Amino acid sequence: MESSRKFFPAVVLLLLIVATTDMAAVQARECEKNSAKFVGLCMNVDNCANVCRGEGFASARCSTFRRRCVCVKPC
């Protein structure tokens, strides 16, 4: 009985480790390209995303320093 009490926490810990490694998200590579059609500074990501969707990209972001519209899609 005493050995099962020592064994139980080890089993629980092992199950937690296995569960967290299985649930880790696999992130696909993303390709980025400056938008060819966006004009001006990128201050609103929604506007940038609409232009990028028109260019065939899945999503967009505004660059941090230069405030350019950057289109993003899976490679």
Side-chain angles (χ1 to χ4, degrees):
M1 188 67 155
E2 185 65 32
S3 63
S4 64
R5 287 187 180 179
K6 291 180 181 178
F7 184 66
F8 182 72
V11 171
V12 171
L13 182 63
L14 181 64
L15 288 173
L16 285 173
I17 291 171
V18 169
T20 56
T21 56
D22 286 343
M23 294 182 351
V26 176
Q27 186 174 4
R29 279 187 18 195
E30 293 182 333
C31 293
E32 296 181 346
K33 181 183 175 208
N34 287 339
S35 174
K37 297 180 181 178
F38 190 86
V39 178
L41 295 176
C42 184
M43 298 296 183
N44 186 346
V45 178
D46 294 332
N47 293 339
C48 177
N50 287 335
V51 173
C52 286
R53 277 190 224 107
E55 294 180 31
F57 288 85
S59 63
R61 67 175 181 81
C62 294
S63 67
T64 308
F65 181 67
R66 298 179 77 186
R67 303 310 299 174
R68 295 209 174 156
C69 179
V70 179
C71 301
V72 181
K73 70 177 177 181
C75 293

